[in-house]
Amino acid sequence: MPPIESGLSGSVTWKSPSNIAIVKYWGKYGEQLPRNPSVSFTLNNAFTKTSVSYITRPNDGGDIVDSFLFEGKEEPSFALRIENFLKSLIPRLPWLAHVKLKIETENSFPHSSGIASSASGMSALVLCLCDIEENITGQKTNQDEFKRKASFYSRLGSGSACRSIYPYAAIWGEHAKISDSHNEYAIPCIDIDDIFKTLHNDILIVSDKKKSVSSSAGHQLMVDNRFAPARYELANDRMIETLHALKNGDIKLLGNILENEALVLHALMMCSEPSYILMEPETIKLINTIRGFRRDTDLDVFFSLDAGPNIHLMYPDHQKDKVQSWINSELKPMCVDGRIVYDQVGTGPKKLI
Ligand code: DP6
């Protein structure tokens, strides 16, 4: 690394969205490497906005983070996680040892909504870092390389974060039949029908309690899960089916995979040792109501779940009037305080300043 002049300063701001996996990442090894490939939709309204101001300084081995504000307030536990993450990056990004950073970050969605804030949070932070690296070193990369790098470092922060970098949909994890697929970073899923580019993804809030198991602990449960080998094989097969559905606009096939993947994820948690049941009674009621409505109307409305009880309800934009009036009359009353976060598939991160 060429020497870094002290006293250079600047600031950058990025917003980066959360994502919802179609084929789920569940099980990891080594340095945040996935046991199976996954593919996700990039969201739009659920995002993190992060600003990072930097000043270069001689390496004194001290903290990188000078101040950290989450939604305008100091959050020592988040700050510590970020400091540890940044320090872990120094061997790969040695310039980090020569800066002090002021970080301000906020989410567009409520903290307790069960939306994966690590995906949007880590990707927004890493996009700022990649930008700052270019400012400090003067070495500019092209857009594709920039995104690949951002995806690589986001993965080290939180596995699923590496998929948030791309518009519409992203693939992460090696698959023998998907060219350029990689375990260390995600790649864009380009062959995707227009129907999915505006797909709705409304989050029906069933519980706003903190998760009883962290994702990291959840991934760990796969190490001794007797069903793990079969799960990884299934996920590999699902990738091909999913890419086929995305390319051909086959929403019924896609919806079927979405629901099955969500239930397999929860089944894996239920049969882990220790076992976790993360669905609430309302989750099951909602699932049955959604399936009943689909049977009765033949509308393309499907659900997914993350590692929590809240339902992600997906439907195409051209059916939104009918579906949304049903959501308001039937589903809203089943949500905590009638809370729903309305979202859609989106175009990916944006640099704001
Ligand atoms: C159920 O990416 O949150 O949402 O890599 O430990 O940070 P870490 O885990 P995380 O796991 C996400 C799991 C999931 C499925 C998915 O997004 O693919």
Side-chain angles (χ1 to χ4, degrees):
M1 183 185 74
I4 291 175
E5 190 187 328
S6 289
L8 299 174
S9 64
S11 102
V12 295
T13 302
W14 279 81
K15 76 173 196 180
S16 186
S18 186
N19 67 75
I20 174 81
I22 309 165
V23 176
K24 308 286 182 186
Y25 145 59
W26 198 241
K28 63 178 173 182
Y29 68 99
E31 224 182 351
Q32 300 264 88
L33 298 167
R35 285 277 177 206
N36 65 264
S38 58
V39 50
S40 57
F41 284 123
T42 303
L43 299 180
N44 191 54
N45 301 339
F47 63 83
T48 300
K49 183 176 132 191
T50 299
S51 299
V52 181
S53 312
Y54 62 91
I55 179 150
T56 55
R57 45 126 185 166
N59 179 7
D60 59 4
D63 283 351
I64 301 170
V65 180
D66 189 30
S67 68
F68 177 84
L69 293 180
F70 176 70
E71 302 192 337
K73 290 199 216 86
E74 286 183 12
E75 280 285 348
S77 63
F78 285 7
L80 184 63
R81 185 172 170 202
I82 300 296
E83 179 68 40
N84 290 339
F85 172 55
L86 295 174
K87 284 215 173 103
S88 75
L89 295 180
I90 290 176
R92 290 184 169 106
L93 301 175
W95 60 268
L96 274 172
H98 296 261
V99 286
K100 283 257 178 227
L101 305 178
K102 288 187 196 299
I103 304 174
E104 283 182 46
T105 186
E106 61 190 51
N107 292 338
S108 64
F109 48 89
H111 189 45
S112 51
S113 61
I115 298 173
S117 59
S118 64
S120 56
M122 282 298 172
S123 54
L125 174 67
V126 165
L127 283 156
C128 290
L129 297 182
C130 291
D131 226 354
I132 293 172
E133 180 179 42
E134 295 200 345
N135 291 350
I136 290 178
T137 63
Q139 286 163 2
K140 301 272 174 211
T141 45
N142 68 37
Q143 269 216 22
D144 289 350
E145 273 175 59
F146 183 89
K147 285 184 182 166
R148 181 164 293 188
K149 196 154 91 174
S151 181
F152 178 98
Y153 291 115
S154 297
R155 177 199 107 239
L156 295 173
S158 174
S160 57
C162 74
R163 298 183 311 231
S164 279
I165 302 297
Y166 299 101
Y168 309 124
I171 298 165
W172 172 39
E174 267 164 39
H175 190 292
K177 295 196 175 131
I178 304 173
S179 54
D180 297 332
S181 59
H182 210 287
N183 277 348
E184 293 185 329
Y185 49 81
I187 57 171
C189 175
I190 293 162
D191 248 343
I192 156 169
D193 187 89
D194 282 349
I195 193 170
F196 297 119
K197 293 185 178 171
T198 52
L199 192 73
H200 288 257
N201 175 82
D202 297 342
I203 300 140
L204 312 174
I205 312 292
V206 164
S207 164
D208 54 10
K209 287 193 223 115
K210 200 174 163 338
K211 287 198 283 189
S212 54
V213 58
S214 70
S215 306
S216 270
H219 290 290
Q220 189 59 30
L221 294 172
M222 286 298 277
V223 173
D224 295 320
N225 190 314
R226 296 277 291 271
F227 295 98
R231 159 62 192 155
Y232 300 142
E233 197 184 320
L234 174 69
N236 272 276
D237 295 347
R238 283 274 162 75
M239 288 298 291
I240 299 302
E241 279 180 79
T242 305
L243 296 192
H244 176 85
L246 288 173
K247 180 177 175 179
N248 295 304
D250 189 341
I251 193 160
K252 293 198 194 301
L253 174 60
L254 197 277
N256 193 38
I257 297 170
L258 268 179
E259 294 196 352
N260 195 271
E261 275 292 301
L263 295 175
V264 166
L265 171 71
H266 280 256
L268 287 166
M269 281 184 276
M270 285 187 212
C271 66
S272 295
E273 291 186 47
S275 143
Y276 290 92
I277 301 179
L278 300 188
M279 286 191 263
E280 297 284 340
E282 292 299 320
T283 314
I284 308 277
K285 271 196 216 162
L286 279 161
I287 288 175
N288 288 330
T289 308
I290 293 162
R291 288 184 163 174
F293 179 72
R294 186 166 71 228
R295 242 188 338 262
D296 295 346
T297 61
D298 208 28
L299 289 168
D300 298 313
V301 38
F302 299 94
F303 70 85
S304 183
L305 297 160
D306 255 339
N310 299 323
I311 297 271
H312 287 248
L313 190 74
M314 310 220 200
Y315 50 93
D317 194 50
H318 69 269
Q319 295 178 356
K320 79 163 185 241
D321 293 346
K322 282 187 190 147
V323 175
Q324 288 183 348
S325 77
W326 164 72
I327 292 176
N328 288 331
S329 63
E330 302 288 323
L331 304 188
K332 214 172 161 68
M334 293 160 83
C335 300
V336 178
D337 302 328
R339 273 168 54 202
I340 297 177
V341 176
Y342 295 93
D343 208 343
Q344 245 173 310
V345 169
T347 52
K350 288 220 159 38
K351 181 173 174 166
L352 300 179
I353 301 170

